[in-house]
């Protein structure tokens, strides 16, 4: 009986892994295992994921995250400002080094900050909005996420045409993200006394920093991923082998099972006929909805053979990154990291995650019906992007300076200025329709 309870306890902590295993096994009933299964596995993704997990685990052992957390909390009683920083960090970083890497870096950091300030009640909204922010920020540039990289290399898309598709989506999504941020962070934050005296292992931190740079170089395809992974694992094994033992290897298995599931779906002739019909009907909505089942990266690969309209495919798979937890592999990473934290409530997390992501999915799909009606007008989108950027700079600067002091009014200055930013962004969106719908 005790053995059974122990097994059930472990399964309850690995719901995502168990679900992905079940999906993979069910798909095997329709597509029997063969040598082609090896082609399903994205070795590069797994190597980078394992390397980043090991490096972030090493950095967590140095005391560096705790020191940064104390600096962020030092003298700052405004919870809304700290939460905004934690949410916006992955938003901007994901534009350059992919959404999964930014979440692997900043979700653990956010949990440390909130834990040391005694505000773990904010963990769910912060981590969920970090995930949405990373998925949104990664949409902007061709190297922000794997599906963008694939579409750019497959269709040889020009940068101007690419930004004409992605910039309006990011601007509209940012307005929604800001509105959601306004509801996070009531009250104050304070650092526990004496916690800032923890010694930082400077030597090991420097080694981990060098390995982190190597991982980023692998993400940007400046270095091959397999030698980087071997170097990372070898060095950590020599210096701190316990770090490798404590890593969440179940996350790697989760990705493997999901790769098998999506690969088997793509091999079905019936599925091919359905995909062909859907892409002929509405490529944006179809690619977004298919991403909810097979994740947006496999969806981009699958659907690229059924359309030459790369703009619609690009918009659809990036919008499709919002929705279900497996719509974006980066969302699985956040769920696993949060699920491993002390006192986690996965049921409440999934409810909040679903609400936020469905809101983003619906808003972006609705915006795409307006922004992409008719032709993709590069000038109209460029004007939209520049105008929204100017408004963002203006009102974020006002919001930031206003939130430095803790006000006791019903409506804080941060909310007031962010409201005007959102209002102005929506005005820009509606004004740009005259360019994008003609």
């Amino acid at each position: 009986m005790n053995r059974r309870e122990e097994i059930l306890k472990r399964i309850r902590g690995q719901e995502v892994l168990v679900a992905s295993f079940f999906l993979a096994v069910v798909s095997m009933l329709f597509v029997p295992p063969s040598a082609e299964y090896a082609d399903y596995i994205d070795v590069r993704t797994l190597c980078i994921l394992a390397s980043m997990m090991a490096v972030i685990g090493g950095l967590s052992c140095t005391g560096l995250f705790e020191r940064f957390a104390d600096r962020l909390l030092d003298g700052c009683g405004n919870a809304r400002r700290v939460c905004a920083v934690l949410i916006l960090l992955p938003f901007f970083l994901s534009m350059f080094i992919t959404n999964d890497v930014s979440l692997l870096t900043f979700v653990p950091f956010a949990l440390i900050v909130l834990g040391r300030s005694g505000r773990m009640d904010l963990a769910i909204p912060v981590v969920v909005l970090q995930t949405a922010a990373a998925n949104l920020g990664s949409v902007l540039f061709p190297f922000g996420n794997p599906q963008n990289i694939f579409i750019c290399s497959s269709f040889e898309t020009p940068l101007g045409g690419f930004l004409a598709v992605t910039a309006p989506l990011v601007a509209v999504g940012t307005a929604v993200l800001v509105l959601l941020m306004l509801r996070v962070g009531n009250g104050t934050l304070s650092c526990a006394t004496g916690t800032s005296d923890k010694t930082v292992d400077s030597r090991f931190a420097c080694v981990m920093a060098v390995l982190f740079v190597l991982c980023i170089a692998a993400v940007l395809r400046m270095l091959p991923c397999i030698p980087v992974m071997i170097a990372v694992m070898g060095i950590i094994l020599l210096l701190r082998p316990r770090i490798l033992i404590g890593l969440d290897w179940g996350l790697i298995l989760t990705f493997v099972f999901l790769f098998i599931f999506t690969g088997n779906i793509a091999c079905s002739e019936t599925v091919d006929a359905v995909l062909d019909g859907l892409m002929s009907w509405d490529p944006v909505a179809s690619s977004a909805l298919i991403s909810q089942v097979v994740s947006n990266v496999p969806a981009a690969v699958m659907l690229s053979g059924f359309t030459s309209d790369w703009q619609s495919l690009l918009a659809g798979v990036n919008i499709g990154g919002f929705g279900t937890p497996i719509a974006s592999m980066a969302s699985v990473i956040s769920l696993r990291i949060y699920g491993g934290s002390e006192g986690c409530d996965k049921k409440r997390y999934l409810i909040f995650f679903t609400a936020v992501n469905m809101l983003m999915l619906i808003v972006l799909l609705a915006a795409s019906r307006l922004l992409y009606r008719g032709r993709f007008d590069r000038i109209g989108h460029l004007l939209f992007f520049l105008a929204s950027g100017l408004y963002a700079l203006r009102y974020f600067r006002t919001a930031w300076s206003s939130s430095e002091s803790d006000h006791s009014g019903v409506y804080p200055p941060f909310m007031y200025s962010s409201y005007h930013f959102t209002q102005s962004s929506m005005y820009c969106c509606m004004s740009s329709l005259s360019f994008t719908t003609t």
Side-chain angles (χ1 to χ4, degrees):
M1 185 67 179
N2 293 334
R3 181 65 176 175
R4 180 183 178 184
E5 290 180 353
E6 182 181 353
I7 294 174
L8 290 175
K9 183 179 179 180
R10 290 186 178 183
I11 291 177
R12 291 191 189 101
Q14 304 286 343
E15 291 91 346
V16 178
L17 175 60
V18 173
S20 62
F21 173 75
F22 176 76
L23 291 173
V25 171
V26 170
S27 68
M28 289 178 183
L29 299 177
F30 300 94
V31 182
S34 64
E36 294 180 357
Y37 271 38
D39 297 330
Y40 298 166
I41 309 301
D42 189 339
V43 177
R44 182 175 181 275
T45 297
L46 296 180
C47 288
I48 292 175
L49 182 61
S51 302
M52 287 299 303
M53 286 171 53
V55 171
I56 297 301
L59 287 172
S60 300
C61 295
T62 64
L64 197 62
F65 282 172
E66 287 82 354
R67 179 64 59 85
F68 286 154
D70 294 339
R71 293 290 179 87
L72 180 62
L73 294 168
D74 187 23
C76 179
N78 193 310
R80 182 171 286 109
R81 179 183 178 184
V82 173
C83 290
V85 171
L86 294 175
I87 294 168
L88 292 176
L89 280 173
F91 173 75
F92 289 109
L93 186 66
S94 64
M95 294 180 181
F96 304 100
I97 61 170
T98 74
N99 49 355
D100 49 357
V101 173
S102 64
L103 290 174
L104 279 169
T105 305
F106 288 113
V107 170
F109 177 66
L111 294 175
I112 290 173
V113 170
L114 297 174
R116 294 173 77 79
S117 62
R119 293 300 307 272
M120 283 300 289
D121 58 300
L122 299 175
I124 289 178
V126 168
V127 173
V128 168
L129 290 181
Q130 278 187 316
T131 306
N135 286 332
L136 180 63
S138 68
V139 172
L140 186 59
F141 294 122
F143 42 79
N145 54 49
Q147 64 267 23
N148 285 3
I149 295 172
F150 171 78
I151 291 174
C152 281
S153 59
S154 298
F155 293 92
E156 298 181 354
T157 62
L159 180 60
F162 185 95
L163 292 176
V165 178
T166 59
L169 287 178
V170 174
V172 173
T174 301
V176 178
L177 183 66
V178 170
L179 284 176
L180 295 173
M181 284 169 51
L182 299 181
R183 304 184 61 86
V184 178
N186 293 326
T188 60
L189 291 176
S190 61
C191 186
T193 57
T195 57
S196 59
D197 296 332
K198 183 176 180 178
T199 303
V200 176
D201 189 344
S202 301
R203 292 184 178 179
F204 189 63
C206 289
V207 174
M208 291 298 100
V210 172
L211 295 181
F212 184 81
V213 172
L214 291 179
C215 291
I216 298 302
V219 171
L220 299 177
R221 299 180 184 272
M222 298 171 63
L223 292 175
C225 59
I226 295 179
V228 168
M229 184 191 69
I230 294 174
V232 168
M233 297 298 177
I235 292 174
I236 294 179
L237 182 63
L238 289 175
L239 299 179
R240 303 281 177 88
R242 290 185 178 180
I243 293 175
L244 298 182
I245 297 175
L247 294 182
D248 185 7
W249 294 107
L251 179 60
I252 302 294
L253 285 176
T254 300
F255 272 71
V256 172
F257 293 143
L258 289 176
F259 285 144
I260 293 173
F261 168 66
T262 56
N264 284 337
I265 287 181
C267 289
S268 171
E269 295 182 359
T270 304
V271 171
D272 283 351
V274 172
L275 294 180
D276 190 19
L278 287 175
M279 293 303 287
S280 300
W281 166 65
D282 190 328
V284 175
S286 297
S287 53
L289 295 177
I290 291 168
S291 297
Q292 306 306 305
V293 181
V294 301
S295 185
N296 53 2
V297 178
V301 178
M302 288 169 51
L303 300 176
S304 62
F306 296 96
T307 182
S308 58
D309 183 2
W310 65 266
Q311 293 101 328
S312 296
L313 178 62
L314 175 64
V317 295
N318 277 302
I319 294 173
F322 301 95
T324 63
I326 66 169
S328 170
M329 293 295 187
S331 300
V332 177
I333 293 174
S334 295
L335 176 57
R336 290 282 302 188
I337 295 175
Y338 170 77
S341 63
E342 185 177 354
C344 66
D345 186 345
K346 289 185 179 179
K347 182 178 179 180
R348 184 166 169 259
Y349 178 95
L350 288 173
I351 292 173
F352 193 85
F353 177 91
T354 302
V356 169
N357 278 266
M358 285 302 172
L359 174 63
M360 294 289 288
L361 178 64
I362 292 171
V363 170
L364 292 178
L365 274 176
S368 70
R369 310 306 295 179
L370 299 173
L371 294 170
Y372 304 145
R373 184 184 301 166
R375 61 192 179 91
F376 285 76
D377 192 299
R378 186 181 305 178
I379 298 177
H381 287 178
L382 183 60
L383 290 176
F384 172 81
F385 176 59
L386 292 176
S388 298
L390 291 175
Y391 275 112
L393 289 174
R394 175 184 174 186
Y395 286 108
F396 269 129
R397 182 178 179 182
T398 304
W400 188 262
S401 60
S402 299
S403 62
E404 288 182 350
S405 58
D406 189 16
H407 298 268
S408 58
V410 178
Y411 300 105
F414 182 85
M415 180 178 293
Y416 178 76
S417 50
S418 296
Y419 163 77
H420 279 284
F421 159 66
T422 306
Q423 184 184 52
S424 303
S425 295
M426 291 301 182
Y427 175 77
C428 290
C429 178
M430 297 306 296
S431 299
S432 69
L433 295 182
S434 60
F435 293 96
T436 57
T437 60
T438 56

